[in-house]
Amino acid sequence: TTLLLLTGFLYAQRITPEQYVNTYKNLAIAEMKRTGIPASVTLAQGLLETESGNSELVQKSNNHFGIKCKSTWTGESVTHTDDAPNECFRKYNKPEESYRDHSDYLSTSPRYASLFKLDAADYRGWCYGLKKCGYATNPRYPQILMGNIEKYNLQQFDSGDTSAELETF
């Protein structure tokens, strides 16, 4: 009985992709205005990396983009099994820190400089560019991001309009 109640509680706590987007769209738009990264791409990455806000990693670290520690990270961290067991991931006190760090990570690295020559409305170019620059190992990464963008109409946020709401299904 306890297991059934616990399972029901955990299931009830899951959020939908629409709830994730409605919760974090303003952060993505603010970061787009600050750095030029399309809000649609940031939200699509967040949806994928956090399993719509439900992943174990985001729950224990507020890390919305799966950013690993790397040698330069001096902040808090958590261990999490991803590509290898017990990898070091960055830990944030709040989601805003994760969104800002993600934007800074992309906008200050020479590896991603070519992306910033693209128009912020060119989400397809950004999706393919992230893969080309080595952001993700999944060969279908651009298609997955574009699928999220188009399924949830995330490109509407690339105009900077914070009043749009996604319907919750």
Side-chain angles (χ1 to χ4, degrees), residues 127-128 130-132 135-146:
C127 292
Y128 284 111
L130 282 166
K131 174 63 179 137
K132 186 177 179 185
Y135 187 90
T137 54
N138 185 332
R140 294 198 61 253
Y141 193 72
Q143 291 79 12
I144 295 167
L145 292 183
M146 290 183 297

Side-chain angles (χ1 to χ4, degrees), residues 88-106:
C88 183
F89 284 84
R90 297 177 182 193
K91 181 179 181 182
Y92 307 96
N93 291 318
K94 52 189 176 181
E96 294 86 345
E97 294 172 5
S98 178
Y99 271 73
R100 179 171 283 271
D101 191 41
H102 170 261
S103 297
D104 290 347
Y105 176 75
L106 292 178

Side-chain angles (χ1 to χ4, degrees), residues 2 10 29 34 40 45 60 64-65 86 101 103 124 133 135 137 145 150 160 162 164-165:
T2 304
L10 292 174
I29 291 168
R34 187 174 74 86
S40 61
Q45 287 184 289
K60 67 183 181 182
H64 285 252
F65 302 97
N86 298 317
D101 191 41
S103 297
R124 288 183 180 91
C133 293
Y135 187 90
T137 54
L145 292 183
E150 292 161 6
T162 59
E165 288 279 326

Side-chain angles (χ1 to χ4, degrees), residues 44 47-48 143-154:
L47 281 168
L48 175 62
Q143 291 79 12
I144 295 167
L145 292 183
M146 290 183 297
N148 278 339
I149 290 169
E150 292 161 6
K151 180 176 183 179
Y152 300 109
N153 193 26
L154 303 180

Side-chain angles (χ1 to χ4, degrees), residues 5-93:
L5 288 173
L6 182 58
T7 304
F9 175 77
L10 292 174
Y11 181 76
Q13 296 301 306
R14 292 187 63 81
I15 65 170
T16 67
E18 295 84 3
Q19 289 169 322
Y20 181 89
V21 170
N22 286 329
T23 300
Y24 298 110
K25 67 180 180 180
N26 290 343
L27 282 178
I29 291 168
E31 287 304 307
M32 177 184 69
K33 289 177 178 177
R34 187 174 74 86
T35 64
I37 301 165
S40 61
V41 173
T42 299
L43 288 167
Q45 287 184 289
L47 281 168
L48 175 62
E49 297 292 340
T50 68
E51 299 167 24
S52 303
N54 296 297
S55 73
E56 180 186 340
L57 179 62
V58 79
Q59 298 292 328
K60 67 183 181 182
S61 69
N62 272 314
N63 188 332
H64 285 252
F65 302 97
I67 299 178
K68 295 179 182 172
C69 292
K70 310 283 187 204
S71 60
T72 57
W73 182 248
T74 57
E76 288 187 69
S77 64
V78 296
T79 57
H80 181 72
T81 299
D82 187 42
D83 296 327
N86 298 317
E87 290 181 281
C88 183
F89 284 84
R90 297 177 182 193
K91 181 179 181 182
Y92 307 96
N93 291 318

